[in-house]
Amino acid sequence: MTLSARMRTLLAASPLVVCLGVLGCDGDGDGDDHDDHAHDTGESHGDTHGETHGETHGESDCASEDRDDEFMVGLSKSGEKASVTFVSADPAPPALDDNTWVVSVTDLGGAPLNVGITATPMMPDHGHGTPVEAVVTPSATTPGEYEISPVNLFMAGLWEVTLDLDLGGETDSVVFAFCVE
Ligand SMILES: [Cu+2]
């Protein structure tokens, strides 16, 4: 028996190879739908948000970025003790350079919290932040509401903005992620 003949015999005898061959021939046939659907369920949430955004149709990096939050008034992140919710953003959605955000901070039950906030923008893919310090100003009229400005996102790409909360003896933090271009 020649070497190649032995290889063919081994390949033909292997269920794995036969199975791969069948799948390969089947390609995108309907037979696989059950498994694929189960795998995709987790990701479809993000896609749904993306579609409501509507305007990103091009080939830009942000269009293919899936680690970012889709901005909307009411976008909210919860830590272990507090929730932070967007009241407004200028510009909206957040964009390159200086941004002014107004957020509402509550406990997990929705009651306004009096907190200290430190905003720290970082670009996770580049490992740098911004030298521009955001100033946090409590609203004079609305408990739990704070203006954060400037949130300086000076480079195109994905930014993660961590809001560290000083709850008076306790701390918490939330992260908002936006891709700007
Ligand atoms: Cu960068």
Side-chain angles (χ1 to χ4, degrees), residues 29-41:
D30 290 334
D32 300 330
D33 268 344
H34 295 295
D35 279 345
D36 287 347
H37 196 68
H39 277 295
D40 287 341
T41 304

Side-chain angles (χ1 to χ4, degrees), residues 74-138:
L75 173 65
S76 188
K77 294 291 181 73
S78 292
E80 304 205 338
K81 305 176 187 76
S83 294
V84 180
T85 304
F86 266 94
V87 174
S88 68
D90 180 19
L96 197 63
D97 293 326
D98 286 343
N99 291 258
T100 296
W101 293 354
V102 177
V103 298
S104 171
V105 184
T106 68
D107 66 18
L108 297 182
L113 285 179
N114 201 0
V115 299
I117 301 176
T118 304
T120 308
M122 283 288 298
M123 292 196 86
D125 294 337
H126 304 167
H128 67 75
T130 173
V132 181
E133 189 172 337
V135 175
V136 178
T137 309

Side-chain angles (χ1 to χ4, degrees), residues 30-62:
D30 290 334
D32 300 330
D33 268 344
H34 295 295
D35 279 345
D36 287 347
H37 196 68
H39 277 295
D40 287 341
T41 304
E43 292 168 24
S44 64
H45 291 291
D47 292 342
T48 305
H49 284 298
E51 282 166 25
T52 62
H53 195 52
E55 67 192 36
T56 51
H57 232 276
E59 294 282 346
S60 71
D61 289 344
C62 285

